[in-house]
Amino acid sequence: MSAAGIDDAAVVRRARARRLVGLYAVTPDLADTADLVARVEAALAGGAGAIQYRSKGATAALRSRQAEALARISARRGALFIVNDDAALCAAVGADGVHLGEADGSAAAARAIVGPERIIGISCYNDFALAEAA
């Protein structure tokens, strides 16, 4: 992507982030992509401003297909799209950000993969020291 394309994507992401109010929906772990897409479309129609794709049991190929589909839907509706646990998948599908759990690597490693303009969320497990470190 050209420098202008990266800058344009950053502007779009910042605009989406500023509009984030209300519902932040986290997807269920579904193997049926059509069902998952329908549920995400319903959440967006109902006012969700962000979708977090969370799939713990899917294969890498299924996760990639589902994330691509949800990224397109979210972008079309102007919603933020966050990928759970996988910075590389976040970057590959053009998601707005990634959410990291304790076993998903460091924020610095994720930042190296997703670049400076994407959102990085980190689970802190009700631990103030983890929140401070993040």
Side-chain angles (χ1 to χ4, degrees):
M1 182 180 296
S2 71
I6 291 170
D7 289 342
D8 291 345
V11 168
V12 168
R13 283 191 184 93
R14 282 193 294 272
R16 286 182 191 148
R18 281 192 297 273
R19 289 193 317 266
L20 181 57
V21 295
L23 182 63
Y24 183 113
V26 179
T27 65
D29 200 345
L30 295 175
D32 183 337
T33 301
D35 186 17
L36 180 63
V37 165
R39 290 176 188 222
V40 166
E41 286 178 333
L44 292 167
I51 300 295
Q52 181 172 325
Y53 173 58
R54 184 177 188 274
S55 179
K56 299 289 187 177
T59 65
L62 179 58
R63 284 175 43 83
S64 181
R65 285 192 305 275
Q66 289 182 336
E68 287 172 1
L70 299 183
R72 283 191 305 273
I73 294 163
S74 298
R76 187 172 62 241
R77 297 292 298 265
L80 280 171
F81 180 59
I82 307 296
V83 171
N84 204 65
D85 299 336
D86 192 335
L89 182 59
C90 167
V93 301
D96 298 300
V98 62
H99 183 87
L100 304 174
E102 64 187 336
D104 299 326
S106 70
R111 180 62 66 208
I113 295 167
V114 302
E117 293 298 329
R118 287 190 172 94
I119 297 165
I120 296 178
I122 300 174
S123 291
C124 295
Y125 309 100
N126 201 29
D127 184 331
F128 188 70
L130 288 175
E132 283 184 313

